[in-house]
Amino acid sequence: MPAYKTRAQYVADDLRRRILAGEFPGGTQLRQDALAQDYDVSRIPVREALLALESEGLVEFHPHRGAFTTELSVAKIRELFELRVLLETYILRQAIEHLTDQDLDKAEDILLKYDEALNSGGQIDNWSEYNFAFHEALYAPADLPETLALISQLNTKSDRYIRMQLLYTQEIEKAEQEHHGLLALARERQAEAACELLKKHIHEACEGIVSVLEKPVT
Amino acid sequence: MPAYKTRAQYVADDLRRRILAGEFPGGTQLRQDALAQDYDVSRIPVREALLALESEGLVEFHPHRGAFTTELSVAKIRELFELRVLLETYILRQAIEHLTDQDLDKAEDILLKYDEALNSGGQIDNWSEYNFAFHEALYAPADLPETLALISQLNTKSDRYIRMQLLYTQEIEKAEQEHHGLLALARERQAEAACELLKKHIHEACEGIVSVLEKPVT
DNA sequence: AGTCTCTGGTTTGTATACAATGTGCAAAAA
DNA sequence: TTTTTGCACATTGTATACAAACCAGAGACT
């Protein structure tokens, strides 16, 4: 438990990672005792971690019956992605109004670093983090922390499903191209065009997920 | 603790009510031991309740230092209300597309019940609940549960400040009139006009709060 | 056979006890 | 006087122990 303030936070972070990585399919029961043994702590910090994940929408508590990983229906996934379109185009518009060249350079740094990682090995393990880091860098100049927090929340909720879609590396390359496109449009302060591309970007991700969900692996 | 599944949930609900009622001004430290004695429970359910409220944005934990009620800056309040405009106009548009007459009647019921309560005594204690119940009834036909949950979350966060504004009963009457207006426009399926009114409705509430915050009671 | 009730075991929810961290004050050093 | 160090206390974080709720299966009843 390297350098964490509390055990509960460490468990929460690691458990989130495991859930998002798909270790626990939707609907599996998370037994407090088992997790406590896993992390070599008592059930108290485990419970607190599970409560934190509940508020993030990754887990659901049924009183006296325990915690279960949540499962999103196709309808809810579509709903989440529509919300993302709404909020992210809103914040992008605000961001473009306030962008400085330094902001753009920061975003580009992240992008290039990931391009390298892609070419030199194809580690897509932490794609989600890179992906959100890029978007966040692009959105940060809007200076709307509450909005950004909400967007982050929505991203976490859909992350588990995004990974399913990313099994196909060609999807990643397309997404990466669109990221470059977004950055270019932001540089030119083409707010409307950028928002259109972002909308397309998010919709594509959504459709990718839905198509995987509806035709399970054969 | 009448008919609650768990003590933690009871404490969370009651504590939320107390915080929203303004019993603990922003920045107050919430001592676990004191609350435990208040509710005659141990500190464990109190901690879990505080964690739940943290995820709602009403409380902040500082590791090993405890939980404090949050305080929103004017900038953040404005941000929250802009988010509400964005999300609530979005859901209202969807709702109006699917509205049935029964939906409208349900919303009207809530409105009339509150009108009565207003005339017969002026209990504004639970105005927030009535207010949200009406909006919820209006939004429900959109059938977007995730979106509605997010809206509910934003409302909770701003509730504490709304009460400040509502000290002036004339504000309530104005809001109530606008509710009737919203309902009428919804009946006529005038989506755009309804959204405009809603936007105005939310903005007015925001400005009311900000003006109270910036000129403290004299 | 099918339904119902009871009971033992399992798991969660909470109380109590202990450990670890942070805070404030007092005494020592500059 | 001002700053620093150390210690006692208060409060949080967590382990352990216990109580209460759920569940599964066996036997009783129709």
Side-chain angles (χ1 to χ4, degrees):
Chain A
M1 196 189 64
Y4 258 84
K5 290 282 182 182
T6 69
R7 305 203 201 322
Q9 279 187 27
Y10 173 70
V11 174
D13 285 347
D14 195 70
L15 206 53
R16 182 186 306 106
R17 186 189 55 71
R18 289 170 73 186
I19 292 174
L20 293 180
E23 185 171 337
F24 310 98
T28 38
Q29 182 166 15
L30 298 172
R31 290 249 148 74
Q32 301 174 2
D33 226 339
L35 291 174
Q37 289 190 5
D38 263 22
Y39 292 103
D40 197 35
V41 298
S42 82
R43 276 170 45 231
I44 302 282
V46 169
R47 279 182 65 80
E48 296 193 352
L50 288 172
L51 281 170
L53 297 182
E54 183 186 33
S55 74
E56 295 172 20
L58 297 179
V59 150
E60 244 177 78
F61 265 80
H62 298 261
H64 293 283
R65 299 201 34 238
F68 300 78
T69 53
T70 53
E71 189 147 36
L72 293 183
S73 63
V74 169
K76 289 203 174 178
I77 290 176
R78 284 194 203 278
E79 204 189 327
L80 285 184
F81 278 84
E82 283 309 319
L83 282 171
R84 286 188 51 194
V85 168
L86 194 65
L87 292 174
E88 297 195 28
T89 56
Y90 167 73
I91 204 172
L92 179 58
R93 242 183 282 270
Q94 306 292 321
I96 287 181
E97 274 187 29
H98 298 92
L99 272 173
T100 67
D101 289 342
Q102 290 151 9
D103 294 324
L104 288 163
D105 292 344
K106 263 191 224 164
E108 189 161 30
D109 273 357
I110 296 173
L111 210 50
L112 295 179
K113 238 181 239 165
Y114 184 63
D115 277 349
E116 271 178 47
L118 246 190
N119 291 330
S120 76
Q123 290 248 0
I124 63 155
D125 293 350
N126 40 15
W127 189 83
S128 287
E129 287 154 44
Y130 265 106
N131 179 48
F132 189 68
F134 169 69
H135 281 260
E136 193 174 24
L138 208 54
Y139 301 157
D143 193 28
L144 298 172
E146 297 285 324
T147 310
L148 196 56
L150 223 56
I151 289 172
S152 165
Q153 195 181 317
L154 292 174
N155 273 271
T156 302
K157 268 196 181 179
S158 46
D159 245 6
R160 205 172 356 155
Y161 299 91
I162 290 193
R163 292 187 193 233
M164 298 172 58
Q165 179 218 10
L166 292 180
L167 293 173
Y168 311 98
T169 31
Q170 102 195 51
E171 296 291 332
I172 295 189
E173 279 169 21
K174 191 170 155 207
E176 199 64 2
Q177 277 175 21
E178 287 169 349
H179 282 177
H180 281 282
L182 271 176
L183 190 64
L185 289 170
R187 262 198 207 288
E188 298 164 24
R189 269 68 175 179
Q190 305 245 17
E192 282 317 307
C195 284
E196 273 310 305
L197 178 53
L198 178 57
K199 192 170 167 181
K200 179 165 160 276
H201 181 62
I202 296 175
H203 275 147
E204 280 173 0
C206 180
E207 289 314 312
I209 291 169
V210 168
S211 73
V212 174
L213 276 179
E214 289 186 338
K215 306 183 206 163
V217 207
T218 47
Chain B
M1 194 189 64
Y4 258 84
K5 290 282 182 181
T6 69
R7 303 200 198 332
Q9 279 186 27
Y10 173 70
V11 174
D13 284 348
D14 194 71
L15 206 53
R16 182 186 306 106
R17 186 189 55 71
R18 289 170 73 186
I19 292 175
L20 293 181
E23 185 171 338
F24 309 99
T28 335
Q29 182 165 15
L30 299 172
R31 291 247 148 76
Q32 301 174 0
D33 225 339
L35 291 174
Q37 288 189 6
D38 263 22
Y39 291 103
D40 196 35
V41 299
S42 82
R43 276 170 46 231
I44 302 282
V46 170
R47 278 181 66 79
E48 296 193 353
L50 288 172
L51 281 170
L53 297 182
E54 182 186 34
S55 74
E56 295 172 21
L58 297 179
V59 149
E60 245 178 76
F61 264 81
H62 298 262
H64 293 283
R65 298 199 36 238
F68 299 78
T69 53
T70 54
E71 189 147 35
L72 293 182
S73 63
V74 169
K76 288 203 174 177
I77 289 177
R78 284 195 202 276
E79 204 188 327
L80 285 184
F81 277 84
E82 282 309 318
L83 282 172
R84 285 189 51 194
V85 168
L86 193 65
L87 291 174
E88 297 193 28
T89 55
Y90 167 73
I91 205 172
L92 178 59
R93 241 183 282 270
Q94 307 292 321
I96 287 181
E97 276 187 30
H98 299 92
L99 272 174
T100 68
D101 288 343
Q102 290 150 9
D103 294 323
L104 288 163
D105 292 345
K106 264 191 224 166
E108 190 161 29
D109 273 357
I110 297 174
L111 210 48
L112 294 181
K113 238 181 241 168
Y114 185 62
D115 277 349
E116 270 177 48
L118 246 189
N119 291 330
S120 75
Q123 289 247 2
I124 64 156
D125 294 350
N126 39 16
W127 190 83
S128 286
E129 287 155 43
Y130 265 107
N131 180 47
F132 189 68
F134 169 70
H135 282 261
E136 193 174 24
L138 208 55
Y139 301 157
D143 193 28
L144 297 173
E146 297 286 325
T147 311
L148 197 56
L150 224 56
I151 289 171
S152 165
Q153 196 181 315
L154 292 174
N155 273 270
T156 302
K157 268 195 180 179
S158 45
D159 245 5
R160 203 171 359 155
Y161 299 91
I162 290 192
R163 292 187 194 233
M164 298 173 58
Q165 180 219 8
L166 292 180
L167 293 173
Y168 311 98
T169 31
Q170 102 195 53
E171 296 291 332
I172 294 189
E173 279 169 22
K174 192 169 145 206
E176 199 63 2
Q177 276 175 22
E178 286 169 349
H179 283 176
H180 282 282
L182 271 176
L183 190 63
L185 288 171
R187 262 199 207 287
E188 297 165 25
R189 270 67 176 179
Q190 305 245 20
E192 282 317 308
C195 284
E196 274 311 304
L197 178 54
L198 178 58
K199 193 170 167 181
K200 178 165 160 276
H201 180 62
I202 296 175
H203 275 147
E204 279 173 0
C206 180
E207 289 314 312
I209 291 169
V210 168
S211 73
V212 174
L213 276 179
E214 289 185 338
K215 305 184 206 163
V217 206
T218 48

